[in-house]
Amino acid sequence: MTPTAPLLSPEFVMALLEDARWAPSGDNEQPWRVRVRDNVLEVLRDVDAHEAFLDVRLEATRIAMGSFAESLRLAALARGRVAELSFADDPTSPIWATVTIGQEQPPLAQTLASALKNRSSNRKLFDPAAWDHSDTEALLKACQGLNNIGVHVFTGSAALEPLSQAVAAADYVRMSHTRCTAEFHQKIYWTDAEARTAQTGFHYRTFEIRPHETLALRMTKNPVIFKIMRALVPMSALAAKLAQKQVLHSGAVVAFTVPEHSLREQAELGRSLLHVWLTAQTRGIQAQVLGVLSLFLRRVALGEPGFSPRELQRLAAAGALWEQVPGLPPRNQILLMLRLGRGEGPSARTFRLSPERLWLRDARGAG
């Protein structure tokens, strides 16, 4: 007879949520909520979450949910419990993932789990020369045997130069796109108090831009002023130039590929992203997600509306540049990229939702 697993105490669940809440998510949306059923943590999407333009068909959300669910699993293993993770294949299911907590066991030496709470995004420029072949090997090893998600590491100017131009073209479109700009400004907070209260979105200092650039960014929040500024200053071109510079000042760019774009694969990509990011963290490597290019091209490939003819031309040019990267897998399989490198740590970090706000409880106080 298999012994019954111990029940999950509130303290244990809160400890897992404390670690897992630092998982990466697009625009720091943190779309996850957790419900506890006996020994199962059910991961659900926040019912108040909105589908952003970049989050086409909620694919970016599924990536984030995969990272969060894997964070729960790693945190449980590090605390001496068996933990098994599964993802829903049914798009209508309100439960996107489950983490089943099993018997007690000796706590595993989880180096990755120890890095969960310290993981952060860094938009600073990195030192391209401070990258070693052993870094590449470590990142690839971190995902071996995890799933069928492809992990491809690109280094050197032959790969990063055309990739930087492609990323710049996509960022040009994002900066000039009305809906993207509006959603972007909705997520920026200009004081510590605002950011701490919201616990989502961005504190402006995480953008790592200079004071005059910060002033310009604040002014673009007003659509009328933004229109005037765009007529006087090439705002989209400046944003594209910064994006290109960031890619060129990287040690490596990691591309994650999914063969079939199934719901399970999208969530599994989130697991691979987390493993690469945490491994990088333990090696003193900084990271920043590059999502605009791949998600825009994914939207175009799916035939989703939202781009003007001129924007489609720019994205077609971006796709052509992207295909110049030596050894690049088929672009219709690439769903996300991660920019990596060594350098100074971030100047600021985003705030996160508290464990209390993530745990869905009924009127009796149970999960």
Side-chain angles (χ1 to χ4, degrees):
M1 177 180 296
T2 303
T4 303
L7 293 177
L8 306 181
S9 68
E11 295 77 15
F12 181 80
V13 174
M14 290 291 281
L16 299 189
L17 292 175
E18 174 62 36
D19 285 354
R21 70 193 182 108
W22 296 100
S25 65
D27 292 345
N28 194 32
E29 282 292 304
Q30 306 163 70
W32 43 69
R33 296 296 183 269
V34 171
R35 187 170 60 199
V36 181
R37 301 292 188 192
D38 297 324
N39 282 64
V40 178
L41 303 177
E42 298 174 342
V43 180
L44 306 91
R45 178 173 178 252
D46 178 17
V47 295
D48 295 324
H50 299 287
E51 185 175 343
F53 187 79
L54 277 169
D55 192 11
V56 58
R57 300 188 183 181
L58 297 179
E59 291 183 353
T61 292
R62 291 203 177 269
I63 294 173
M65 299 290 251
S67 290
F68 176 74
E70 177 66 1
S71 296
L72 288 171
R73 188 184 75 89
L74 292 176
L77 292 174
R79 286 176 171 78
R81 296 293 291 270
V82 173
E84 297 181 356
L85 170 60
S86 63
F87 295 113
D89 290 317
D90 180 3
T92 65
S93 173
I95 302 171
W96 289 36
T98 58
V99 182
T100 303
I101 308 298
Q103 291 294 314
E104 294 179 349
Q105 64 180 8
L108 299 181
Q110 287 286 332
T111 303
L112 295 186
S114 67
L116 284 170
K117 295 171 68 172
N118 296 321
R119 188 211 60 81
S120 62
S121 185
N122 189 344
R123 297 177 178 85
K124 287 185 177 180
L125 303 181
F126 307 146
D127 181 4
W131 188 267
D132 189 80
H133 181 65
S134 64
D135 294 326
T136 300
E137 291 182 334
L139 299 183
L140 294 175
K141 184 178 180 181
C143 297
Q144 287 179 358
L146 186 65
N147 48 41
N148 67 337
I149 302 303
V151 180
H152 314 269
V153 182
F154 297 94
T155 61
S157 59
L160 298 186
E161 179 61 43
L163 185 57
S164 72
Q165 296 179 42
V167 168
D171 269 58
Y172 186 104
V173 172
R174 182 182 189 183
M175 189 63 181
S176 61
H177 194 278
T178 303
R179 181 176 166 185
C180 281
T181 303
E183 290 179 345
F184 177 68
H185 278 293
Q186 290 170 0
K187 300 167 184 174
I188 302 177
Y189 300 99
W190 298 100
T191 68
D192 287 344
E194 288 177 335
R196 187 177 294 107
T197 299
Q199 297 182 340
T200 61
F202 306 106
H203 190 303
Y204 83 93
R205 289 192 289 116
T206 64
F207 295 134
E208 306 290 356
I209 55 179
R210 293 170 291 185
H212 70 279
E213 293 170 327
T214 299
L215 177 61
L217 182 63
R218 293 194 69 166
M219 293 176 67
T220 64
K221 185 172 185 178
N222 185 304
V224 176
I225 295 177
F226 186 32
K227 186 175 181 179
I228 296 173
M229 290 180 64
R230 284 175 57 186
L232 300 174
V233 182
M235 300 294 294
S236 295
L238 292 175
K241 184 177 180 180
L242 174 60
Q244 181 176 11
K245 194 173 182 180
Q246 287 176 328
V247 175
L248 290 175
H249 286 75
S250 303
V253 169
V254 179
F256 299 90
T257 59
V258 292
E260 299 176 359
H261 284 284
S262 68
L263 302 183
R264 182 180 297 276
E265 284 183 343
Q266 292 162 15
E268 287 287 355
L269 192 155
R271 295 183 72 199
S272 293
L273 170 67
L274 182 73
H275 278 242
V276 168
W277 205 325
L278 295 180
T279 300
Q281 178 80 28
T282 64
R283 296 175 68 86
I285 298 172
Q286 308 293 324
Q288 175 195 3
V289 167
L290 299 175
V292 176
L293 173 61
S294 54
L295 294 174
F296 270 4
L297 293 181
R298 174 67 175 157
R299 188 178 189 91
V300 172
L302 289 171
E304 294 285 346
F307 294 115
S308 69
R310 180 170 294 184
E311 289 167 343
L312 288 173
Q313 289 179 353
R314 287 192 176 275
L315 292 176
L321 286 165
W322 203 8
E323 291 177 347
Q324 295 179 20
V325 178
L328 189 74
R331 76 184 191 196
N332 65 340
Q333 293 185 5
I334 298 178
L335 202 52
L336 201 69
M337 294 186 293
L338 187 65
R339 168 181 167 259
L340 299 164
R342 286 186 170 81
E344 295 182 358
S347 301
R349 195 181 186 197
T350 55
F351 291 95
R352 288 303 178 106
L353 293 170
S354 66
E356 291 81 4
R357 292 180 65 176
L358 298 179
W359 191 350
L360 301 177
R361 307 188 192 215
D362 60 24
R364 296 178 304 240

